[in-house]
Amino acid sequence: MKRNVFALLVLPALMLVGCSNVEADPEPTAPNVEPATAESTPSSTQETSPRGNLMKEIGEPAGIHSLDDPSKNVVTYVVKGIEVDPVCTSPYSMAPENGRFIAIDMEVETAGEPEFTEVMYGPINVSPHSFKMIDANGTTVNSVSSGPSYGCMEESETLLSSIGPGERVTGKVVLDVPSTEGILVYNESIDPSLGWEWKIPQA
C-alpha cells in the first residue's frame, strides 16, 4: 500500500485538483470536491518551492488524490485567507508568546469510505503543529504554536483538529510567530515530504 501511495506522490499531477476543469463535465460526479476546484488556478499549481512543496495562492485548492482515480480527491485543502494580527475572540485569550498571531482561514473536505482510509489510514489532524514558517531571511521557524495560539479564537471559529471521512469543515488555525513576513508551510502527516506553501500577505 505504501508503495502505491509513494508512486502517486511523485507524479506531477498528484495534488492538482484543476483536472476537473479539463474534463468540462456539466454534471460533476464528485460534488463534494466541486466547491474547491471552482477556484483552482492551473497556472500556479505547477510551481514548486526549493523545499519541494507546491506553491499555492489564497483560495487555490490543494489535494491528495484517490489511489484508483487521480481525477478525484480523498482530501481537498483550501486556504481561504491569511490574516496578520487577528482580533482574538475568546474571553480567555492571551498575548502571543512568540511575537505575533497569524490566523489561517481553512476549508477541508474529505471523501467517504473506503477511499479515504485507503489513502489517509485515519483522521486528518490539522492544528498549529501542522505548520511551520520560513521567515524573510530564509530561516525555518519550526515552532509556531503556543498556549495563546490555541486559546485565541472561540471554539466555534476554530478548525476541527481531527477530520474524518465524508466531512467538510471550515475554521481558523492560529499560529504564534516571531515575524509576519515569509512563507507558511503545511506538510501532510502521511508523508512529511508532501506539502504546500503560501506566502503571507502584506498590507
Side-chain angles (χ1 to χ4, degrees), residues 120-149:
M120 305 306 295
Y121 305 110
I124 303 167
N125 298 306
V126 181
S127 73
H129 286 290
S130 305
F131 290 85
K132 61 184 177 182
M133 177 182 173
I134 311 296
D135 69 17
N137 296 320
T139 301
T140 299
V141 181
N142 286 314
S143 179
V144 293
S145 65
S146 66
S149 71

Side-chain angles (χ1 to χ4, degrees), residues 32-57:
N32 64 315
V33 178
E34 192 219 349
T37 58
E39 295 187 20
S40 179
T41 309
S43 61
S44 63
T45 52
Q46 299 287 347
E47 297 182 29
T48 304
S49 76
R51 290 159 291 278
N53 301 314
L54 287 181
M55 300 168 65
K56 294 292 182 177
E57 300 290 339

